[in-house]
Amino acid sequence: MFEPLLTSDNLHLSEPTETLNEGSDGVQLIARLVSTATEPAFFIQSSIAENSRRAYLSDLSEFEKAGFSIPATPETVARYLAQHACSLRVATLVRRVASLSKVHDARGLPNPTHSPLVRATMRGIKRTCGCAQRQAKPLCRDDLLQVLEATGDRTKDVRDRALLLVGFSGALRRSELVGLNKEDLEQVRQGMILHLRRSKTDQEAEGQKIGIPHGRGKWCPVAALNDWVQASAIGQGAVFRPLDRAGRVAEPRLSGDAVAIIIRERVEAAGLDPSGYSGHSLRAGLATSASQVGVPTWKIRAQTRHASDAMLTRYVRDGALFSQNAAGALL
Protein backbone atom coordinates (compact mmCIF):
# COMPACT_ATOMS: atom_id res chain seq x y z
CA MET A 1 0.00 0.00 0.00
CA PHE A 2 1.40 3.34 -1.02
CA GLU A 3 1.10 6.45 1.16
CA PRO A 4 -1.19 9.06 -0.47
CA LEU A 5 1.29 11.92 -0.40
CA LEU A 6 0.30 14.07 -3.36
CA THR A 7 3.48 15.67 -4.64
CA SER A 8 4.77 15.13 -8.14
CA ASP A 9 8.22 14.02 -6.96
CA ASN A 10 7.05 11.69 -4.23
CA LEU A 11 8.50 8.25 -4.94
CA HIS A 12 5.23 6.77 -3.72
CA LEU A 13 3.64 8.17 -6.89
CA SER A 14 5.80 5.95 -9.04
CA GLU A 15 4.00 3.18 -10.86
CA PRO A 16 3.50 0.19 -8.53
CA THR A 17 5.21 -2.96 -9.76
CA GLU A 18 2.69 -5.40 -8.33
CA THR A 19 -0.42 -6.21 -10.32
CA LEU A 20 -3.41 -8.42 -9.67
CA ASN A 21 -2.09 -11.95 -9.47
CA GLU A 22 -3.62 -15.36 -9.08
CA GLY A 23 -3.50 -15.24 -5.31
CA SER A 24 -5.00 -11.77 -4.84
CA ASP A 25 -8.50 -11.16 -3.52
CA GLY A 26 -9.44 -9.44 -6.76
CA VAL A 27 -8.69 -12.39 -9.02
CA GLN A 28 -10.30 -14.82 -6.58
CA LEU A 29 -13.43 -12.72 -6.84
CA ILE A 30 -13.42 -12.58 -10.64
CA ALA A 31 -12.66 -16.32 -10.85
CA ARG A 32 -15.55 -17.07 -8.52
CA LEU A 33 -17.94 -14.81 -10.40
CA VAL A 34 -16.88 -15.74 -13.90
CA SER A 35 -16.19 -19.45 -13.81
CA THR A 36 -15.35 -22.34 -11.54
CA ALA A 37 -12.74 -23.61 -14.01
CA THR A 38 -9.23 -22.19 -13.63
CA GLU A 39 -8.32 -22.05 -17.32
CA PRO A 40 -11.40 -20.18 -18.60
CA ALA A 41 -11.18 -17.73 -15.70
CA PHE A 42 -7.56 -17.03 -16.50
CA PHE A 43 -8.18 -16.33 -20.17
CA ILE A 44 -11.32 -14.31 -19.51
CA GLN A 45 -9.29 -12.25 -17.04
CA SER A 46 -6.52 -11.78 -19.63
CA SER A 47 -9.03 -10.59 -22.24
CA ILE A 48 -9.85 -7.52 -20.16
CA ALA A 49 -7.57 -4.51 -19.86
CA GLU A 50 -5.97 -4.05 -16.44
CA ASN A 51 -7.78 -0.78 -15.70
CA SER A 52 -11.11 -2.22 -16.84
CA ARG A 53 -10.58 -5.33 -14.73
CA ARG A 54 -9.90 -3.23 -11.65
CA ALA A 55 -13.07 -1.24 -12.33
CA TYR A 56 -15.13 -4.43 -12.77
CA LEU A 57 -13.78 -5.88 -9.53
CA SER A 58 -14.57 -2.69 -7.65
CA ASP A 59 -18.08 -2.50 -9.09
CA LEU A 60 -18.89 -6.12 -8.33
CA SER A 61 -17.50 -5.76 -4.81
CA GLU A 62 -19.70 -2.71 -4.17
CA PHE A 63 -22.73 -4.59 -5.52
CA GLU A 64 -22.10 -7.39 -3.02
CA LYS A 65 -21.44 -4.97 -0.15
CA ALA A 66 -24.88 -3.47 -0.79
CA GLY A 67 -26.38 -6.88 0.01
CA PHE A 68 -26.93 -8.18 -3.53
CA SER A 69 -25.42 -11.21 -5.22
CA ILE A 70 -24.67 -12.83 -8.57
CA PRO A 71 -26.74 -14.02 -10.38
CA ALA A 72 -28.99 -10.99 -10.09
CA THR A 73 -32.54 -10.43 -11.26
CA PRO A 74 -33.85 -7.36 -13.09
CA GLU A 75 -35.72 -6.39 -9.92
CA THR A 76 -32.59 -6.47 -7.73
CA VAL A 77 -30.51 -4.49 -10.26
CA ALA A 78 -33.26 -1.87 -10.59
CA ARG A 79 -33.52 -1.63 -6.81
CA TYR A 80 -29.74 -1.24 -6.51
CA LEU A 81 -29.75 1.57 -9.08
CA ALA A 82 -32.61 3.37 -7.37
CA GLN A 83 -30.90 3.14 -3.98
CA HIS A 84 -27.72 4.77 -5.35
CA ALA A 85 -29.27 7.25 -7.78
CA CYS A 86 -28.64 10.22 -5.48
CA SER A 87 -25.27 9.15 -4.07
CA LEU A 88 -23.38 8.12 -7.25
CA ARG A 89 -22.76 9.88 -10.54
CA VAL A 90 -24.75 8.63 -13.53
CA ALA A 91 -21.51 7.64 -15.28
CA THR A 92 -20.60 5.43 -12.29
CA LEU A 93 -23.99 3.74 -12.35
CA VAL A 94 -23.68 3.13 -16.11
CA ARG A 95 -20.30 1.50 -15.54
CA ARG A 96 -21.67 -0.69 -12.76
CA VAL A 97 -24.46 -1.87 -15.02
CA ALA A 98 -21.81 -2.72 -17.64
CA SER A 99 -19.85 -4.68 -15.03
CA LEU A 100 -22.92 -6.67 -14.05
CA SER A 101 -23.67 -7.33 -17.70
CA LYS A 102 -20.11 -8.53 -18.29
CA VAL A 103 -20.11 -11.08 -15.48
CA HIS A 104 -23.55 -12.48 -16.35
CA ASP A 105 -22.62 -12.90 -20.02
CA ALA A 106 -19.29 -14.52 -19.08
CA ARG A 107 -21.07 -17.11 -16.95
CA GLY A 108 -23.79 -17.74 -19.51
CA LEU A 109 -26.47 -16.47 -17.12
CA PRO A 110 -29.64 -14.57 -18.09
CA ASN A 111 -28.54 -10.95 -18.28
CA PRO A 112 -30.75 -8.77 -16.06
CA THR A 113 -29.28 -5.53 -17.43
CA HIS A 114 -30.99 -6.13 -20.80
CA SER A 115 -34.44 -6.13 -19.25
CA PRO A 116 -36.93 -3.29 -19.94
CA LEU A 117 -37.15 -2.69 -16.17
CA VAL A 118 -33.43 -1.95 -15.75
CA ARG A 119 -33.27 0.14 -18.92
CA ALA A 120 -36.31 2.18 -17.87
CA THR A 121 -34.76 2.73 -14.44
CA MET A 122 -31.53 4.03 -15.98
CA ARG A 123 -33.46 6.34 -18.34
CA GLY A 124 -35.36 7.75 -15.39
CA ILE A 125 -32.16 8.35 -13.41
CA LYS A 126 -30.54 10.09 -16.39
CA ARG A 127 -33.53 12.35 -16.93
CA THR A 128 -33.76 13.17 -13.24
CA CYS A 129 -30.07 13.57 -12.39
CA GLY A 130 -28.57 14.45 -15.77
CA CYS A 131 -25.82 12.52 -17.50
CA ALA A 132 -23.27 15.10 -18.59
CA GLN A 133 -19.77 13.72 -18.12
CA ARG A 134 -17.03 15.71 -16.44
CA GLN A 135 -14.34 16.41 -18.99
CA ALA A 136 -10.73 17.33 -18.43
CA LYS A 137 -10.00 20.98 -19.12
CA PRO A 138 -7.79 21.10 -22.24
CA LEU A 139 -4.35 22.65 -21.87
CA CYS A 140 -4.42 24.50 -25.18
CA ARG A 141 -1.44 25.80 -27.12
CA ASP A 142 -1.32 29.40 -25.85
CA ASP A 143 -1.68 28.35 -22.22
CA LEU A 144 0.90 25.58 -22.72
CA LEU A 145 3.39 28.13 -24.02
CA GLN A 146 2.75 30.31 -20.96
CA VAL A 147 3.34 27.30 -18.72
CA LEU A 148 6.61 26.46 -20.50
CA GLU A 149 7.84 30.04 -20.17
CA ALA A 150 7.47 29.70 -16.40
CA THR A 151 9.83 26.72 -16.16
CA GLY A 152 13.46 26.97 -15.06
CA ASP A 153 16.71 25.08 -15.46
CA ARG A 154 16.50 22.46 -12.71
CA THR A 155 16.47 18.77 -13.55
CA LYS A 156 12.79 18.73 -12.61
CA ASP A 157 12.11 21.56 -15.07
CA VAL A 158 13.86 19.66 -17.86
CA ARG A 159 11.77 16.57 -17.13
CA ASP A 160 8.49 18.43 -16.88
CA ARG A 161 9.06 20.36 -20.13
CA ALA A 162 9.66 17.10 -21.96
CA LEU A 163 6.59 15.50 -20.38
CA LEU A 164 4.34 18.45 -21.26
CA LEU A 165 5.56 18.84 -24.83
CA VAL A 166 5.60 15.14 -25.70
CA GLY A 167 2.22 14.54 -24.04
CA PHE A 168 0.71 17.46 -25.96
CA SER A 169 2.29 16.89 -29.39
CA GLY A 170 1.66 13.14 -29.26
CA ALA A 171 -1.88 13.55 -27.85
CA LEU A 172 -0.89 10.88 -25.36
CA ARG A 173 -3.02 9.40 -22.66
CA ARG A 174 -1.31 9.57 -19.30
CA SER A 175 -0.85 5.79 -19.27
CA GLU A 176 0.89 6.00 -22.65
CA LEU A 177 3.09 8.85 -21.45
CA VAL A 178 4.35 7.09 -18.31
CA GLY A 179 4.58 3.79 -20.21
CA LEU A 180 7.22 5.09 -22.63
CA ASN A 181 10.61 3.39 -22.48
CA LYS A 182 13.90 4.62 -23.85
CA GLU A 183 13.77 1.75 -26.36
CA ASP A 184 10.46 3.11 -27.70
CA LEU A 185 12.07 6.30 -29.05
CA GLU A 186 13.25 6.34 -32.67
CA GLN A 187 15.08 9.38 -34.02
CA VAL A 188 14.26 10.19 -37.66
CA ARG A 189 15.00 13.13 -39.93
CA GLN A 190 11.54 14.65 -39.49
CA GLY A 191 11.63 14.35 -35.69
CA MET A 192 10.96 11.32 -33.52
CA ILE A 193 8.72 8.25 -33.69
CA LEU A 194 7.21 6.94 -30.46
CA HIS A 195 6.49 3.22 -30.52
CA LEU A 196 3.53 2.57 -28.20
CA ARG A 197 3.57 -1.05 -27.18
CA ARG A 198 0.06 -0.96 -25.73
CA SER A 199 -2.69 1.62 -25.38
CA LYS A 200 -6.38 1.93 -24.56
CA THR A 201 -7.34 1.31 -28.18
CA ASP A 202 -4.65 -1.37 -28.70
CA GLN A 203 -5.19 -3.83 -25.86
CA GLU A 204 -3.75 -6.72 -27.87
CA ALA A 205 -0.42 -4.90 -28.10
CA GLU A 206 -0.16 -4.82 -31.89
CA GLY A 207 1.76 -1.57 -31.46
CA GLN A 208 1.15 1.98 -32.65
CA LYS A 209 3.49 4.64 -34.01
CA ILE A 210 3.19 8.31 -33.14
CA GLY A 211 5.08 10.94 -35.12
CA ILE A 212 6.51 13.83 -33.07
CA PRO A 213 7.76 16.48 -35.52
CA HIS A 214 10.48 19.03 -34.82
CA GLY A 215 9.00 22.23 -33.42
CA ARG A 216 9.13 25.39 -35.52
CA GLY A 217 9.52 27.74 -32.56
CA LYS A 218 11.27 27.96 -29.22
CA TRP A 219 9.61 24.91 -27.69
CA CYS A 220 10.48 21.79 -29.67
CA PRO A 221 9.14 18.51 -28.21
CA VAL A 222 11.93 16.46 -29.81
CA ALA A 223 14.67 18.72 -28.41
CA ALA A 224 12.98 18.78 -24.99
CA LEU A 225 12.80 14.98 -24.86
CA ASN A 226 16.42 14.62 -25.95
CA ASP A 227 17.46 17.15 -23.30
CA TRP A 228 15.70 15.11 -20.62
CA VAL A 229 17.17 11.79 -21.76
CA GLN A 230 20.64 13.33 -21.71
CA ALA A 231 20.18 15.08 -18.35
CA SER A 232 18.77 11.96 -16.70
CA ALA A 233 21.37 9.61 -18.24
CA ILE A 234 18.64 7.03 -18.81
CA GLY A 235 20.05 4.19 -20.88
CA GLN A 236 17.01 1.95 -20.94
CA GLY A 237 13.66 1.47 -19.29
CA ALA A 238 11.14 4.10 -18.23
CA VAL A 239 11.62 7.56 -19.75
CA PHE A 240 9.66 9.58 -17.20
CA ARG A 241 10.68 8.89 -13.60
CA PRO A 242 10.36 10.50 -10.17
CA LEU A 243 13.13 12.65 -8.72
CA ASP A 244 14.23 12.78 -5.10
CA ARG A 245 14.68 16.05 -3.20
CA ALA A 246 18.26 16.34 -4.43
CA GLY A 247 17.14 16.05 -8.06
CA ARG A 248 18.45 12.52 -8.52
CA VAL A 249 16.52 10.31 -10.94
CA ALA A 250 14.85 7.26 -9.39
CA GLU A 251 14.44 3.83 -10.97
CA PRO A 252 10.65 3.33 -11.19
CA ARG A 253 8.44 5.08 -13.70
CA LEU A 254 6.04 7.90 -12.83
CA SER A 255 2.43 6.98 -12.16
CA GLY A 256 -0.55 8.36 -14.01
CA ASP A 257 -1.52 10.31 -10.89
CA ALA A 258 1.88 12.01 -10.90
CA VAL A 259 1.26 13.28 -14.45
CA ALA A 260 -1.95 15.00 -13.34
CA ILE A 261 -0.18 16.56 -10.36
CA ILE A 262 2.70 17.83 -12.51
CA ILE A 263 0.26 19.45 -14.94
CA ARG A 264 -1.65 21.20 -12.17
CA GLU A 265 1.53 22.34 -10.43
CA ARG A 266 2.97 23.78 -13.63
CA VAL A 267 -0.29 25.48 -14.59
CA GLU A 268 -0.51 27.13 -11.17
CA ALA A 269 3.16 28.17 -11.29
CA ALA A 270 2.40 29.99 -14.56
CA GLY A 271 -0.32 32.05 -12.84
CA LEU A 272 -3.27 30.10 -14.24
CA ASP A 273 -6.13 28.48 -12.35
CA PRO A 274 -5.26 24.76 -12.03
CA SER A 275 -8.82 23.58 -11.33
CA GLY A 276 -10.21 21.28 -13.98
CA TYR A 277 -6.85 20.14 -15.32
CA SER A 278 -5.94 16.46 -15.21
CA GLY A 279 -3.68 13.91 -16.81
CA HIS A 280 -5.97 13.99 -19.86
CA SER A 281 -5.51 17.75 -20.41
CA LEU A 282 -2.52 17.45 -22.75
CA ARG A 283 -4.35 15.07 -25.09
CA ALA A 284 -7.50 17.19 -24.99
CA GLY A 285 -5.38 20.31 -25.54
CA LEU A 286 -3.85 19.02 -28.75
CA ALA A 287 -7.24 18.04 -30.21
CA THR A 288 -8.87 21.34 -29.22
CA SER A 289 -5.96 23.51 -30.39
CA ALA A 290 -5.71 21.71 -33.73
CA SER A 291 -9.43 22.23 -34.28
CA GLN A 292 -9.08 25.95 -33.52
CA VAL A 293 -6.52 26.42 -36.30
CA GLY A 294 -8.55 24.46 -38.85
CA VAL A 295 -6.77 21.09 -38.95
CA PRO A 296 -9.14 18.57 -40.61
CA THR A 297 -10.87 16.17 -38.26
CA TRP A 298 -9.37 13.11 -39.93
CA LYS A 299 -5.86 14.48 -39.40
CA ILE A 300 -6.56 15.20 -35.73
CA ARG A 301 -7.91 11.69 -35.27
CA ALA A 302 -4.79 10.25 -36.91
CA GLN A 303 -2.74 11.80 -34.08
CA THR A 304 -5.16 11.21 -31.21
CA ARG A 305 -6.05 7.67 -32.34
CA HIS A 306 -9.64 8.04 -31.17
CA ALA A 307 -11.68 4.94 -31.90
CA SER A 308 -14.43 6.96 -33.57
CA ASP A 309 -15.29 10.45 -34.76
CA ALA A 310 -17.98 10.58 -32.07
CA MET A 311 -15.36 10.46 -29.32
CA LEU A 312 -13.26 13.15 -30.99
CA THR A 313 -16.24 15.41 -31.70
CA ARG A 314 -16.35 16.68 -28.10
CA TYR A 315 -12.96 18.35 -28.51
CA VAL A 316 -13.48 19.46 -32.08
CA ARG A 317 -16.82 21.06 -31.21
CA ASP A 318 -15.35 22.93 -28.25
CA GLY A 319 -12.40 24.10 -30.31
CA ALA A 320 -14.65 25.45 -33.07
CA LEU A 321 -17.10 27.32 -30.85
CA PHE A 322 -15.78 30.72 -31.98
CA SER A 323 -14.72 29.77 -35.51
CA GLN A 324 -17.07 31.50 -37.99
CA ASN A 325 -19.42 32.08 -35.06
CA ALA A 326 -22.82 33.38 -36.24
CA ALA A 327 -23.06 35.94 -33.45
CA GLY A 328 -19.54 37.16 -34.19
CA ALA A 329 -20.56 37.98 -37.74
CA LEU A 330 -23.43 40.14 -36.51
CA LEU A 331 -22.12 41.99 -33.47
Side-chain angles (χ1 to χ4, degrees):
M1 182 67 67
F2 295 101
E3 296 294 332
L5 303 177
L6 299 182
T7 60
S8 62
D9 293 311
N10 180 4
L11 294 182
H12 294 296
L13 278 180
S14 60
E15 192 68 28
T17 54
E18 66 265 31
T19 57
L20 291 176
N21 52 59
E22 198 167 318
S24 70
D25 292 340
V27 172
Q28 288 176 0
L29 174 62
I30 200 71
R32 174 167 57 83
L33 292 174
V34 172
S35 174
T36 56
T38 302
E39 293 82 358
F42 172 79
F43 288 114
I44 290 171
Q45 175 193 332
S46 299
S47 73
I48 305 172
E50 182 69 20
N51 288 340
S52 298
R53 184 162 64 250
R54 290 180 187 276
Y56 290 152
L57 293 173
S58 174
D59 292 340
L60 296 173
S61 176
E62 292 298 324
F63 187 73
E64 290 193 332
K65 286 179 183 177
F68 301 96
S69 60
I70 307 296
T73 65
E75 290 75 18
T76 58
V77 174
R79 189 162 67 251
Y80 174 79
L81 293 173
Q83 288 177 1
H84 293 82
C86 297
S87 59
L88 296 175
R89 293 189 298 121
V90 172
T92 301
L93 292 176
V94 169
R95 193 191 69 198
R96 291 193 176 173
V97 169
S99 298
L100 291 170
S101 177
K102 187 84 172 180
V103 73
H104 281 83
D105 284 345
R107 291 186 60 181
L109 298 168
N111 193 328
T113 68
H114 294 167
S115 74
L117 175 63
V118 172
R119 294 186 175 186
T121 303
M122 274 306 312
R123 284 197 302 271
I125 292 174
K126 289 178 179 179
R127 292 186 65 177
T128 303
C129 304
C131 57
Q133 286 187 302
R134 291 183 296 180
Q135 296 183 22
K137 186 177 181 179
L139 183 58
C140 294
R141 177 184 177 275
D142 290 344
D143 288 338
L144 174 63
L145 296 181
Q146 182 175 335
V147 168
L148 293 169
E149 289 289 351
T151 59
D153 298 320
R154 298 172 301 165
T155 304
K156 179 182 177 181
D157 294 303
V158 177
R159 180 200 66 185
D160 291 357
R161 276 197 298 271
L163 184 146
L164 292 168
L165 282 164
V166 172
F168 179 86
S169 58
L172 298 180
R173 300 174 177 90
R174 66 180 191 173
S175 59
E176 296 167 347
L177 194 54
V178 300
L180 281 176
N181 288 335
K182 173 66 162 52
E183 306 88 89
D184 300 330
L185 312 180
E186 179 186 355
Q187 302 280 351
V188 294
R189 182 176 58 82
Q190 300 94 329
M192 183 178 291
I193 296 175
L194 307 182
H195 294 265
L196 302 185
R197 292 175 294 173
R198 186 186 296 274
S199 69
K200 182 178 179 179
T201 55
D202 180 29
Q203 293 297 333
E204 296 182 1
E206 295 180 0
Q208 295 178 317
K209 296 180 181 180
I210 305 297
I212 307 295
H214 291 295
R216 295 176 295 175
K218 177 180 178 181
W219 303 110
C220 172
V222 177
L225 185 54
N226 286 334
D227 288 345
W228 164 241
V229 170
Q230 182 177 358
S232 61
I234 294 174
Q236 61 180 6
V239 171
F240 294 111
R241 308 181 184 193
L243 304 173
D244 63 19
R245 294 187 181 275
R248 292 186 294 263
V249 182
E251 285 297 320
R253 68 182 71 242
L254 281 176
S255 70
D257 289 337
V259 173
I261 292 169
I262 289 170
I263 291 171
R264 286 194 291 267
E265 285 182 346
R266 290 299 180 178
V267 166
E268 187 172 20
L272 303 173
D273 181 2
S275 57
Y277 289 102
S278 73
H280 202 70
S281 292
L282 298 173
R283 176 174 169 81
L286 181 282
T288 304
S289 299
S291 172
Q292 289 173 343
V293 298
V295 177
T297 303
W298 68 273
K299 290 295 291 183
I300 299 175
R301 186 177 168 190
Q303 191 75 351
T304 63
R305 294 154 290 118
H306 276 97
S308 67
D309 285 335
M311 294 301 295
L312 179 61
T313 297
R314 292 178 298 171
Y315 306 117
V316 173
R317 185 188 303 119
D318 290 346
L321 282 175
F322 297 97
S323 176
Q324 298 182 338
N325 184 286
L330 300 173
L331 299 176

